[in-house]
Amino acid sequence: MPKEEYEESFDIAKTLIDDIDDVPFIALCISIKADGIWSDDTHFKTQKEFIVFRTRELSLAFKSRKLR
């Protein structure tokens, strides 16, 4: 997604997460009104605005579903 489409959310995102490298991801989540984010980066757990889906959790969830 082009940065121009979510950069207006950068200021809010900076207040939600300490790692400056993660700000664009949080800004994008805000912009698209995401319910959560998929990441194993521990910095995302410090924010409380979005659910953080871990790879292991998703893997177990899909593994428990039967494929048709």
Side-chain angles (χ1 to χ4, degrees), residues 6 9-11 13-15 17-28 44:
Y6 62 92
S9 299
F10 269 52
D11 288 338
K14 288 177 187 176
T15 67
I17 197 157
D18 294 332
D19 188 346
I20 195 71
D21 293 331
D22 295 332
V23 168
F25 300 107
I26 296 295
L28 181 58
F44 286 100

Side-chain angles (χ1 to χ4, degrees), residues 14-52:
K14 288 177 187 176
T15 67
L16 298 176
I17 197 157
D18 294 332
D19 188 346
I20 195 71
D21 293 331
D22 295 332
V23 168
F25 300 107
I26 296 295
L28 181 58
C29 283
I30 294 167
S31 177
I32 65 171
K33 297 175 176 60
D35 292 326
I37 189 166
W38 176 6
S39 178
D40 289 320
D41 185 334
T42 57
H43 295 113
F44 286 100
K45 282 291 192 183
T46 63
Q47 60 77 40
K48 303 297 182 208
E49 193 72 22
F50 301 97
I51 298 168
V52 180

Side-chain angles (χ1 to χ4, degrees), residues 2-4 12 30 32 37 39 41 52 57 63 67-68:
K3 184 179 178 180
E4 296 78 28
I12 296 168
I30 294 167
I32 65 171
I37 189 166
S39 178
D41 185 334
V52 180
E57 296 165 350
K63 192 175 189 178
L67 298 177
R68 295 178 187 189

